[in-house]
Amino acid sequence: MVERVFPRTPRRPARQPARQRPRLRLLLASGAASAALVAGTVIPLNPLLPAPQQAQAADGKKVLTVAVSQSVDSLSPFLAQKLVSTSIHRLTYEYLTNYDPKDAHTVPGFATAWESSADKLTWTFTIRKDSKWSDGVQATAEDAAWTFNKMMTDENAATANGSFTSNFKKVTAPDPETLVVELNKPQATMTALDVPIVPKHIWEKVGDFSKFNNDKQFPIVGNGPFIITDFKVDQYIKLKPNKDFWRGAPKFDELVLKYYKDGDAAVAALQKGEVSFTSGLTPAQAAALKSADNIKVNDAPGRRFYALATNPGARSKDGKKFGNGHAALLDPAVRKALFQAVDRKTVIDKVFQGHAVEGKGYIPPRFSAYFWEPSADQTIAYDPAEAARTLDTAGYEKNAAGKRVGKDGKPLDFRILCHATDPNDKAIGKYLQEWWGQLGIGLKVDCLDNVSDPWLAGDYDLAFDGWSVNPDPDYVLSIHTCGALPATPKDSGATDNFICDKRYDDLYAQQSAEYDPAKRAELVKQMESRLYDTGYMNVMAYPNAVEAYRTDQIKSITTMPEAAGNLWGQDGYWSWWSAVPADDGGGSGSSSSTGVVIGIGAAVVVVAALGLFVAMRRRSTAEDRE
């Protein structure tokens, strides 16, 4: 999942090569399919492709191959923030707790039980006895204590998840089955610490955590349901089942995540049976695949938001400014006018073609407890005429050529960062050029293979943004706090787009210490309201999870949530751990979703067929992070 929820301290080392953004940037179409996306047409897939190949290696192994379009940023759990990377780590390392696939409530993981002191400042976790590292060494509370202490004492080890430990005062392991965490103040995320626990006896040998990507020696030691056996940058990552996994070993003999830069190529590979699953389908691809033999399309409410982000002036914690963001965007009136000229309905209807819900607040509706939408008086509605009046009132008049002129006398011309592999960015970019052009504002759409470098350097005016949200929203809220800014201009912080607002920070601190669910939810909504009013972020849509798999290779697999959820990027390992090969015997090879019921006190897993996946329009409840 984007999975990354990192509130404050996680500072990335100087200029990490890849922006660890829980962006769900998966197999997106290009070429003709992109054009079809804009036009709203459907591209028929090639009916002359060869007969599907079974996902079975020459040695008879049952292989589950997942197509991905996102590069792995790091195989180190201390550095990785991209969705593809954090999804891999969920498969290979245990967290203290997990999320039930049915409704995302907290269930045991590496810890079987937990309790807090009356003042909520001391938390005691009981660590399971039946978890071993894949090299045979017993996994204990000492591994968890070492993981957390390393994050607390080494800022490079806190790059990805340091927000979870920024409030930790002391972490100890008095015995192999007991972990004690002492806090400086109450912390509401203590049953949602999404931190991979690593083996101390392996990681204590690491020197510089900012440079160690954990990609040189295989197999990689872990205690999750899968073990990483091989990795080639922008080619593949291979995993095998952990036969000693306490919840039971996966049923496929091998899991392969295969990289495709081109979405059409990934879809073609699915048709031919070269891959078992692909996600991030365009409307045209999804429409064509629905009529294909032995392929099931899953179209369900996702856990992402899709937004426009403005550069509020890149800065670091030491007060230094950097980057070359346009000064006019520091004016709230300019930001408001731009967003008044964004037609979200057109974005939903013409670009996502109904496979999304119109954007409101920062947290997707899939997470109903935290979903917020502006009041009628607060809403920045699509109104081009009002947008023009907003600029007129603020003093941005048009010159003789019809161009809006800034306070410096120069025409307003902005740049927007666009992901070259994402046809949604490109299509919406064209609409923005038209809409903002009518206001007299110019827009250059910079579509790049790597948006990380200019983004981290603050060398942009606007950007297409998006995060996957977790059941606990703390992380995606934290990336807009002042504490998430980089320490210096040379460092990389956990910030999304350099927002630093005292009122927002105060609300963040309050919600992070509030244990009452209703009161905390209200504080989160106040944060969303503040973020909306500042105008640095404009959520345009909540995209569906549109994905497909071969029913002649996968007999059953678990969505999250079970009723109508996603397969790729889950908060947990449920999909790939639960997947049953089509020829596994007992039952038909029909497309079914399996329900996983987890016993809180024991490793009890009951799998029940739930029938066909439910194809839905966009969601109306909200979800998690990354």
Side-chain angles (χ1 to χ4, degrees), residues 304-305 356-361 364-365 371 539 541-544 618-619:
R304 290 189 60 239
F305 64 79
V357 165
E358 184 177 335
K360 303 286 186 180
F371 177 65
V539 177
Y542 308 114
N544 281 16
R618 196 45 186 147
R619 41 135 107 315

Side-chain angles (χ1 to χ4, degrees), residues 55 62-66 252 254-257 276-277 554 576 579:
K62 297 173 183 176
V63 181
L64 174 57
T65 304
V66 176
F252 275 87
E254 185 174 52
L255 172 64
V256 179
L257 274 63
S276 315
F277 171 91
I554 301 174
W576 315 127

Side-chain angles (χ1 to χ4, degrees), residues 24-154:
L24 228 290
R25 291 286 173 220
L26 301 177
L27 313 165
L28 299 166
S30 60
S34 296
L37 179 63
V38 179
T41 58
V42 174
I43 300 293
L45 300 181
N46 189 350
L48 301 179
L49 289 172
Q53 302 171 5
Q54 293 303 313
Q56 189 159 312
D59 57 4
K61 290 197 303 183
K62 297 173 183 176
V63 181
L64 174 57
T65 304
V66 176
V68 298
S69 66
Q70 193 179 55
S71 299
V72 171
D73 49 359
S74 179
L75 288 182
S76 165
F78 298 96
L79 299 179
Q81 288 173 291
K82 280 189 175 181
L83 179 62
V84 65
S85 308
T86 56
S87 294
I88 291 167
H89 290 141
R90 284 190 176 277
L91 297 173
T92 53
Y93 299 100
E94 278 276 59
Y95 297 14
L96 285 182
T97 59
N98 208 328
Y99 300 101
D100 190 301
K102 185 174 182 179
D103 58 9
H105 73 268
T106 302
V107 295
F110 192 44
T112 60
W114 45 87
E115 61 181 359
S116 69
S117 58
D119 60 7
K120 303 293 186 181
L121 294 178
T122 301
W123 284 75
T124 302
F125 295 86
T126 301
I127 303 303
R128 64 176 57 258
K129 303 176 183 178
D130 55 352
S131 179
K132 287 187 177 181
W133 298 109
S134 53
D135 60 359
V137 176
Q138 181 69 35
T140 70
E142 182 60 31
D143 295 301
W146 186 89
T147 299
F148 291 131
N149 277 301
K150 187 64 181 177
M151 294 167 61
M152 294 162 61
T153 57
D154 184 342

Side-chain angles (χ1 to χ4, degrees), residues 61 75 88 92 134 214-222 226-232 236-242 253-257:
K61 290 197 303 183
L75 288 182
I88 291 167
T92 53
S134 53
N214 197 30
D215 57 1
K216 303 302 180 187
Q217 292 186 326
F218 299 94
I220 294 175
V221 177
F226 289 90
I227 301 167
I228 301 173
T229 59
D230 195 10
F231 170 62
K232 292 292 185 295
Y236 62 79
I237 182 165
K238 296 182 178 180
L239 305 95
K240 68 178 182 180
N242 180 358
D253 299 315
E254 185 174 52
L255 172 64
V256 179
L257 274 63

Side-chain angles (χ1 to χ4, degrees), residues 398-418:
K398 287 185 177 181
N399 60 18
K403 294 280 293 183
R404 293 281 176 179
V405 178
K407 302 299 174 66
D408 58 2
K410 297 179 181 180
L412 292 184
D413 288 302
F414 300 133
R415 305 156 296 165
I416 186 166
L417 281 177
C418 156

Side-chain angles (χ1 to χ4, degrees), residues 481-513:
T481 60
C482 300
L485 295 174
T488 72
K490 294 183 179 180
D491 295 316
S492 296
T495 185
D496 182 29
N497 61 324
F498 306 101
I499 294 174
C500 179
D501 177 75
K502 185 179 185 304
R503 189 184 307 176
Y504 181 91
D505 271 27
D506 289 344
L507 289 168
Y508 176 79
Q510 292 178 52
Q511 70 81 30
S512 66

